[in-house]
Amino acid sequence: MMITITRLYDSRTDAQDVVRSLEAAGFRDQDLSMIASNRDDWYERPSDSGDDAGTGAGIGAVIGGGIGLLTGLGIMAIPGVGPVVAAGWLAATLAGAGAGAVVGGAAGGLIGALTDSGVPERDAHVYAEGVRRGGTLVMARVSEDRRAEAERIMDGHESVDASRRRVEYEREGWTRFDPNIPLDPRVPTYRERV
């Protein structure tokens, strides 16, 4: 039986290190996903493909497996979150049937994809808001017998405690992620606040 382990990171570098560590430990690329805010335009999609639609070949390459998740990064837009850099099975789910398609504005978008992957809805809202505010989400589908190993790797890189982060957000008046409310550009990313 496969389970999904999800962690949010304030540091994109920590998230990338987690992905590399999971790959080095033998977790398959096709069982890993990463979604990072591109709010600060840190990632620029290679322009040699001629594909202006978005995720395209990057996600397709990741699904093919064996090349490393981080080499398959692509850009997509998620309503309420904005531009993200994504790779892996969750990115393919969000992209929908057409590579590079913009995710529909339905409330199910990112929250639905997370809950369908086994993330409790309460945590899914925190994770979506975390990505909206500049964080990076890493997900791993693992067998039960490798769960502890994956959690050790993912927790070894300063992952965000979803319960504590929820309390921080609620102090600001936040109740849940709402993709129909655009992020106020005056709301700093977590890195800007620190």
Side-chain angles (χ1 to χ4, degrees):
M1 179 170 121
M2 299 292 275
I3 59 166
T4 302
I5 301 169
T6 307
R7 297 293 187 270
L8 178 67
Y9 301 89
D10 289 326
S11 164
R12 189 172 42 252
T13 302
D14 283 344
Q16 291 170 331
D17 288 346
V18 165
V19 169
R20 287 185 189 103
S21 295
L22 289 167
E23 290 173 333
F27 291 95
R28 302 175 325 154
D29 296 333
Q30 57 264 42
D31 291 329
L32 305 176
S33 283
M34 185 176 99
I35 296 181
S37 171
N38 199 34
R39 181 176 167 189
D40 57 358
D41 294 323
W42 67 272
Y43 180 81
E44 188 173 315
R45 188 186 51 168
S47 60
D48 60 16
S49 70
D51 177 7
D52 293 330
T55 59
I59 289 176
V62 168
I63 293 171
I67 61 166
L69 183 73
L70 296 177
T71 61
L73 295 173
I75 296 177
M76 63 180 4
I78 298 177
V81 175
V84 297
V85 176
W89 53 270
L90 185 63
T93 299
L94 288 170
V102 174
V103 179
L110 182 55
I111 300 298
L114 292 171
T115 57
D116 287 350
S117 299
V119 175
E121 185 173 351
R122 182 172 171 83
D123 291 344
H125 283 275
V126 173
Y127 293 143
E129 187 68 23
V131 173
R132 176 203 302 244
R133 295 186 187 203
T136 302
L137 190 67
V138 175
M139 299 178 75
R141 292 187 298 204
V142 302
S143 59
E144 185 62 49
D145 63 325
R146 295 197 73 190
R147 176 185 197 149
E149 178 185 8
E151 287 177 337
R152 180 186 50 76
I153 291 169
M154 295 174 82
D155 290 338
H157 290 83
E158 298 198 37
S159 63
V160 170
D161 180 312
S163 298
R164 288 184 184 161
R165 187 55 55 88
R166 171 177 284 285
V167 169
E168 288 177 28
Y169 291 161
E170 287 173 345
R171 283 187 197 138
E172 301 169 357
W174 179 90
T175 56
R176 66 181 186 83
F177 174 77
D178 185 342
N180 298 313
I181 299 174
L183 180 64
D184 184 336
R186 295 171 296 181
V187 173
T189 65
Y190 184 81
R191 288 183 295 283
E192 291 167 341
R193 287 186 287 159
V194 174

